[in-house]
Amino acid sequence: MRPSAARTRGGGVVTVPLWSAVRATAAHVDKLVAALPEPGARLPGERAEIAEAKDAARTMRMRFLEAQADAVYDRLTDGRTKGLRIAELVEAAATEFPGLVPTAGQLAADRGRRQADKEGYEIDQGIFLRAVLASPRAGAHLLDTMLRPTARALRLLPEFLRTGVLETASVRVERRDGAAYLTMCRDDCLNAEDNQQVDDMETAVDLVLLDPQVNVGVLRGGTMTHPRHRGRRVFSAGINLKSLHAGDISLVDFLLRREIGYIHKLVRGIRTDDAPWHSPTVEKPWVAAVETFAIGGGTQLLFAFDHVLCASDAYLSLPAAQEGIVPGAGNFRFGRATGPRIARQVILQGRRIRATEPDARLLIDEVVEPEEMDEAVARAVGRLRGPAVVPNRRMLNLAEEPLDEFRRYMSEFALQQALRLYGEDVISKVGRFVEEARPTCPVPS
């Protein structure tokens, strides 16, 4: 960026003094990184030196963005006339504002390391995205942009409209009689979530919402080959701890994209130029069928569904405190469904809720015997086909989850989750989980 104040198309001004301080502290960090050994080989004194330098740089980024987030966002999006998804936004920021967020090269270098051996550049992305989402103007525009269908979904749409079938690495979709059945099929690791699964799920959700032949979506876990649950359907084991240990869980492409990408679309629908004049989005009701267990992110998902079925021998859990991370928007939605006491018991203390417990009815709609799940799914789909379902679910979601409250939560989540990714306790815990789980993945908490 030129060393002078610059007015953006949206009218904001990026000022020089704060920006100069950001550039100077970022350059100092880069100089130290180049001079020091790889992160995993640093001595205690070297680790303290680089930590102090990073803290100084992050302090300046925070100050700069608290004052300039709208101006920065306007420059990157041409005054909010251009929609950039979060991955595109951080990439554009790295080019336009060197030192504000990590470069592609820095991220690539970290991507080749275990989580314990990374520099932690994603924390700087978290600082940036926190500021963007905190802004009512920039944050609302970003959330709206994330409701657009992905390029991958648009590319696959003609074939899906013709066949009604999608096969990806982790999700299978089949359209039958006006309903779309999504099956999570990572049978080797109990539907544990990783970057690929998030991409596949958003693609699948987009196609369901874009298909005019579909009026209800259903999500269910597939039949497992994992030794511990071979031959049984499993909904989800949550985050893939093996991938997290290996450094393959991304803040932008997994942890944030998941929440403000496909789960946000489950709640709000998809924004498309073909939407009806009376609504900016196309929405559809969704059914979830939980068998065996829904752990972590699996339980988080359920809050976005209009009808949740649970097998009588299944359980739900959200072991965020044990894993050391923030459970997505679970903290935002859980207490709204159950009240604060149960939310704290589950999130902070690791309580499991069995489907047959009275408290489970605050999280699920029906408990059915495992052999009766197919019939229960069919009944639920039938009940959600009515023409008044979509407008009423829209009004319920507006009342239960105001968009500005969601935006503010996701703003703080962007930074807190970035920090948790690099917490020493998280790195230690996932290392133990992986050692205990070998050669399979993951360990159900």
Side-chain angles (χ1 to χ4, degrees):
M1 187 179 132
R2 292 185 300 275
S4 60
R7 183 171 297 278
T8 70
R9 178 173 177 172
V13 176
V14 177
T15 56
V16 169
L18 277 174
W19 177 239
S20 297
V22 171
R23 295 286 309 261
T25 54
H28 180 57
V29 170
D30 291 345
K31 183 177 179 180
L32 280 178
V33 168
L36 291 172
E38 287 286 301
R42 289 171 190 163
L43 300 174
E46 293 169 330
R47 289 198 295 270
E49 181 183 18
I50 191 67
E52 182 180 358
K54 288 176 179 178
D55 284 348
R58 287 164 181 162
T59 298
M60 293 312 306
R61 289 187 184 101
M62 290 280 283
R63 290 178 182 171
F64 171 73
L65 286 165
E66 284 171 359
Q68 301 287 301
D70 278 338
V72 169
Y73 190 80
D74 280 352
R75 175 177 284 238
L76 299 177
T77 61
D78 294 335
R80 290 172 290 127
T81 62
K82 179 171 65 176
L84 296 177
R85 289 174 61 84
I86 49 173
E88 297 168 327
L89 185 68
V90 294
E91 182 179 354
T95 300
E96 187 69 19
F97 295 91
L100 186 59
V101 295
T103 66
Q106 289 171 326
L107 291 170
D110 248 8
R111 199 173 299 121
R113 300 172 174 136
R114 297 183 313 150
Q115 194 68 21
D117 297 330
K118 292 188 176 188
E119 291 287 356
Y121 290 119
E122 289 174 301
I123 294 172
D124 304 315
Q125 291 180 322
I127 293 170
F128 170 68
L129 291 168
R130 174 185 181 269
V132 169
L133 287 164
S135 162
R137 188 172 72 179
H141 186 265
L142 177 57
L143 289 179
D144 190 67
T145 298
M146 291 299 292
L147 291 180
R148 292 280 182 180
T150 64
R152 183 187 182 197
L154 292 174
R155 186 174 68 252
L156 295 172
L157 181 60
E159 180 69 7
F160 182 73
L161 294 177
R162 185 181 70 82
T163 65
V165 175
L166 171 72
E167 297 273 6
T168 72
S170 53
V171 184
R172 184 179 194 276
V173 185
E174 183 180 0
R175 183 182 63 233
R176 300 196 306 269
D177 301 324
Y181 296 86
L182 287 68
T183 304
M184 295 180 286
C185 53
R186 283 297 307 276
D187 58 299
D188 59 322
C189 61
L190 307 177
N191 286 326
E193 298 178 291
D194 55 18
N195 287 14
Q196 182 64 55
Q197 197 267 1
V198 168
D199 187 38
D200 290 345
M201 277 295 293
E202 185 164 14
T203 301
V205 168
D206 282 357
L207 293 176
V208 171
L209 291 170
L210 290 168
D211 187 349
Q213 301 175 72
V214 171
N215 48 48
V216 181
V218 177
L219 181 64
R220 195 172 180 181
T223 303
M224 299 291 106
T225 59
H226 186 285
R228 194 170 299 178
H229 298 280
R230 190 182 304 277
R232 299 189 64 189
R233 283 184 180 265
V234 168
F235 190 73
S236 174
I239 192 170
N240 191 317
L241 298 175
K242 182 176 180 181
S243 294
L244 178 56
H245 174 71
D248 294 331
I249 294 294
S250 162
L251 175 69
V252 167
D253 293 325
F254 179 107
L255 295 163
L256 283 168
R257 177 181 176 182
R258 180 180 188 271
E259 303 300 328
I260 65 176
Y262 85 84
I263 298 180
H264 192 208
K265 289 173 177 175
L266 290 172
V267 176
R268 302 282 178 184
I270 196 166
R271 178 174 282 278
T272 168
D273 295 335
D274 297 328
W277 64 267
H278 52 80
S279 172
T281 59
V282 173
E283 296 183 39
K284 292 172 185 177
W286 292 88
V287 176
V290 178
E291 288 149 299
T292 308
F293 50 71
I295 295 173
T299 292
Q300 294 167 34
L301 263 177
L302 303 182
F303 299 115
F305 283 77
D306 301 291
H307 193 83
V308 178
L309 298 153
C310 199
S312 59
D313 59 351
Y315 69 86
L316 313 176
S317 70
L318 204 58
Q322 290 95 318
E323 292 169 352
I325 59 175
V326 180
N331 294 336
F332 178 68
R333 296 181 174 125
F334 206 111
R336 293 169 184 247
T338 67
R341 297 271 53 88
I342 294 175
R344 281 167 169 75
Q345 291 164 18
V346 172
I347 295 172
L348 302 182
Q349 301 173 47
R351 175 186 171 187
R352 288 183 178 183
I353 297 183
R354 301 282 174 182
T356 52
E357 292 181 42
D359 286 344
R361 297 311 298 267
L362 298 170
L363 298 167
I364 61 180
D365 298 287
E366 285 185 76
V367 180
V368 300
E369 294 306 311
E371 64 273 13
E372 297 173 2
M373 185 63 81
D374 290 345
E375 292 81 0
V377 167
R379 290 194 301 270
V381 168
R383 288 194 297 269
L384 291 174
R385 290 185 188 275
V389 168
V390 169
N392 276 288
R393 84 181 291 273
R394 178 176 297 137
M395 300 309 294
L396 286 166
N397 285 332
L398 282 172
E400 294 169 359
E401 191 171 300
L403 188 58
D404 268 353
E405 291 184 18
F406 176 69
R407 174 186 56 76
R408 287 192 292 268
Y409 176 90
M410 291 310 303
S411 165
E412 192 60 26
F413 171 80
L415 178 56
Q416 295 305 321
Q417 190 72 303
L419 292 169
R420 287 283 76 217
L421 271 180
Y422 295 93
E424 291 184 7
D425 59 318
V426 173
I427 290 168
S428 175
K429 287 172 184 176
V430 297
R432 290 198 305 271
F433 279 138
V434 169
E435 287 300 320
E436 292 168 4
R438 287 180 178 173
T440 59
C441 70
V443 177
S445 301

